[in-house]
Amino acid sequence: MSSSSEISSKPLKSRTRRTILKAGGTLLLSVITPMPAMASQLLAVRVWPSEDYTRVTLENDSNLKITNFLVKNPDRLVVDVEGIDLNSTLKDLVAKIQPNDPYIKQVRVAQNRPGVVRLVFDLKDEIKPQVFTLEPVGEYKYRFVIDLYPATPPDPIASLIQKGNWPKDQQADSRPPMADAKPDTPPPAAQADDAQIAKMAPNDPKLQLTRMITIALDPGHGGEDPGAIGARGNREKDIVLSIAKRLKKKIEEQPNMRVMLTRDDDFFVPLGMRVKKARKVQADLFVSIHADAFVQATARGSSVFALSEKGASSAAARWMANRENSADQIGGVNIQTHDRQLASVLLDLSTTAQINDSLRLGKSVLDEIGGINKLHRGAVEQAGFAVLKAPDIPSILIETAFISNPEEEAKLTDNAYQDEMASAIMSGIKKYFAKNPPLAKNKMT
């Protein structure tokens, strides 16, 4: 039989265990109970309008959950953003929509409910939206992107002819050839232009053009992707667009030549889409224009690159290709559509003939630009540039100078140098065609 002291100690121990367990349970609950969620901080809003599409970018310090839907009569896009509160930065979006925006009339922002902000885009026309998020890259944090594409994209060939403002006789080749036309007989428009073409390069073989030549100019970077930035703050995307526009004007002054810009303003075009645009207008040449940057500010000189199937011609060429191929990550590409785009455009079917033609074009251009600036290398280099992978278009990428070199940055921002560079590229193109006349095409140009 137990003593009274033994009997009384058992309830005491039990009570002690219960007290300890209760305290531990309280501590455990305090650990696993979530704290109230902190709203994400919106860092910036940016709008990039263009004829191709309008992009709206919201940059914030964390990833966001987004839902969106279209409303008809009138056309509106409604976007709900979870995890943020309405603030002055988001309100700035209203003022950033300009009256000449091709697709947005206005935008309205409001706190729809706690932790959810609603954006309503009043639209000028029917659109196909692409709404997606981007992980941090480069100088950017998390980005939430709204791309507003027209439901009916413009016809690139009709747009090309309209913008070119050519005489009617120079647009004759935009129609399919007549069935009874002899293949070796140039149409009247081309015959009339032969004398003018011969004057372009009197020391070269006479060009026998039977149709309009179409040249695709590709100013690198744009929009969210500034490209390289010089010590003085000049951005590659602005400089190369200026040079491309100067070159465009010179091309349009040539008989039987017309030109398409992959971008004519400050907006981003994915690498695959640049190639796709050139192929849509059946371009005879593709010329991508850039401004070098390197880790060492002493690097200088102009370069010309063509595609390589067997690896880069130098370590520098490989480094440059990797840098330029990263543009899609910085500029911001919707991965869901990007994979399909690459599958249909960047076919990796570039033949030896295409690369050989690109090397010939590159040499003609390199010889000319060597007259206005030191060459980084004396020969055309090769690497796996994604933007040069059109399987049926001779394609080159020109690095006009090193924007990372203070002396060359000053050159690149000089109007006279930009014009000289455009003239040199034009001379190289003309000399290329003088030795390599374009073949007749059966399809519409």
Side-chain angles (χ1 to χ4, degrees), residues 298-366:
T298 54
R300 63 183 304 150
S302 301
S303 307
V304 177
F305 296 86
L307 185 65
S308 171
E309 288 183 311
K310 301 178 181 178
S313 57
S314 69
R318 185 183 304 108
W319 185 89
M320 193 65 64
N322 290 338
R323 174 182 169 273
E324 298 297 356
N325 290 347
S326 68
D328 279 351
Q329 298 174 357
I330 299 170
V333 171
N334 186 352
I335 298 298
Q336 294 179 349
T337 61
H338 185 53
D339 290 343
R340 293 198 302 269
Q341 214 174 73
L342 289 177
S344 62
V345 180
L346 303 183
L347 305 175
D348 278 326
L349 294 178
S350 300
T351 63
T352 301
Q354 186 264 21
I355 291 177
N356 287 341
D357 284 340
S358 300
L359 289 170
R360 283 192 285 266
L361 170 63
K363 185 178 186 309
S364 293
V365 171
L366 191 70

Side-chain angles (χ1 to χ4, degrees), residues 389-411:
K389 289 187 177 181
D392 46 1
I393 306 173
S395 304
I396 60 172
L397 185 146
I398 303 169
E399 296 284 2
T400 53
F402 277 89
I403 196 173
S404 54
N405 181 305
E407 292 182 13
E408 294 207 331
E409 180 185 7
K411 276 187 178 182

